[in-house]
Amino acid sequence: MDERINFNDIIKNSFLNSDTFTSVSILEIFIGTIASFLIGLFIYFVYKKTFRGVVYSHNFNVTLVLMTMITSLVIMTISTNIVLSLGMVGALSIVRFRTALKDPLDIVFLFWAISVGIAVGASIYAVAIFGSIFVAIAVFILSKKKWKDVTYLLVLHYDEKAYDEIKLQLVKFNYELKSKIVRNNLTELTLKIKLKVDNTAFVHKLSNIDGVKDVSLVQYSGDYAA
């Protein structure tokens, strides 16, 4: 007579079987923790050397190291039993992170740290080491590349009488209007403009125009709030 095994039998005989638990040796924990710490420090160094944002966050950089280590510990823990892994996934799914990361590269570094932690926790050290080396090389190459044009935000405050001369000075540039605010007789004009590197001498010419109160030139990172 053929034996038929249903889904409940599979659960009882495998997933809920106490024999499915495996142990992680102290040596494996020690090696995994040290490896994740060292590779986390490597990510820390790469992030610090290639940072191109406005304000460097030391706390976020330290978080990358700790994230690598904690992720490796989580993977080592859930690898001992499939039921424990399912419970861990359910527990972690309720976690919500409300800190907004303004720079997309910060998200990349965060995923890098998590990926290394997963690889180390699964004892796949080759993936963690060589993958990190290749990612670091790509980050250094792309961060050091000099682009032909640099984008800036040009902000001017001026009286209406200075408009014609300002427009004459800006006709030689490729610019895009971002906002124009008029308060009484004072106008605030914000333009997105592309310039060659260090070609900012025109700012002094604009500031010397009769009726111009002040001129600001700020490097544009892609986000703008009017």
Side-chain angles (χ1 to χ4, degrees):
M1 183 175 179
D2 296 336
E3 294 183 357
R4 295 184 178 180
I5 301 176
N6 56 30
F7 183 75
N8 290 332
D9 294 330
I10 296 175
I11 294 295
K12 292 178 181 179
N13 294 330
S14 59
F15 291 171
L16 301 182
N17 190 344
S18 60
D19 293 337
T20 57
F21 282 91
T22 58
S23 61
V24 180
S25 67
I26 299 298
L27 180 60
E28 290 176 335
I29 297 175
F30 178 77
I31 294 175
T33 305
I34 294 299
S36 60
F37 175 70
L38 293 177
I39 301 177
L41 285 180
F42 177 70
I43 297 174
Y44 175 97
F45 169 79
V46 174
Y47 180 81
K48 187 174 183 179
K49 291 297 183 180
T50 60
F51 181 77
R52 293 294 181 270
V54 179
V55 179
Y56 167 76
S57 175
H58 176 73
N59 290 337
F60 176 78
N61 208 356
V62 171
T63 300
L64 296 177
V65 181
L66 299 179
M67 180 68 72
T68 307
M69 300 178 65
I70 293 172
T71 304
S72 67
L73 293 175
V74 170
I75 296 300
M76 282 188 281
T77 302
I78 66 177
S79 64
T80 60
N81 181 262
I82 189 170
V83 177
L84 186 60
S85 66
L86 295 175
M88 186 70 73
V89 170
L92 294 177
S93 66
I94 67 175
V95 178
R96 295 292 184 269
F97 297 96
R98 299 186 180 275
T99 302
L101 298 177
K102 297 182 179 180
D103 193 341
L105 273 180
D106 290 349
I107 301 177
V108 172
F109 276 93
L110 194 60
F111 273 105
W112 183 7
I114 294 173
S115 300
V116 169
I118 293 174
V120 172
S123 299
I124 313 176
Y125 299 109
V127 173
I129 295 173
F130 291 105
S132 295
I133 292 174
F134 290 136
V135 171
I137 292 173
V139 172
F140 272 109
I141 292 175
L142 295 176
S143 64
K144 297 298 182 180
K145 183 176 177 59
K146 299 295 184 180
W147 302 103
K148 184 177 180 181
D149 295 327
V150 180
T151 304
Y152 293 89
L153 284 181
L154 179 66
V155 183
L156 301 98
H157 294 89
Y158 60 91
D159 295 330
E160 193 61 32
K161 62 181 181 180
Y163 176 74
D164 291 335
E165 193 169 351
I166 290 174
K167 189 175 181 180
L168 184 63
Q169 289 290 335
L170 294 176
V171 71
K172 64 184 74 173
F173 299 103
N174 179 22
Y175 65 88
E176 175 185 344
L177 177 65
K178 302 297 292 186
S179 72
K180 183 177 182 179
I181 302 174
V182 179
R183 300 186 184 92
N184 297 327
N185 293 326
L186 186 65
T187 302
E188 177 184 286
L189 187 67
T190 304
L191 305 173
K192 184 176 77 171
I193 186 170
K194 291 186 177 182
L195 304 172
K196 303 295 183 181
V197 179
D198 297 330
N199 184 21
T200 60
F202 73 98
V203 175
H204 298 284
K205 296 180 180 179
L206 288 173
S207 63
N208 292 329
I209 296 176
D210 185 30
V212 174
K213 303 300 181 182
D214 58 74
V215 182
S216 302
L217 187 66
V218 183
Q219 189 168 355
Y220 181 63
S221 61
D223 297 325
Y224 173 76

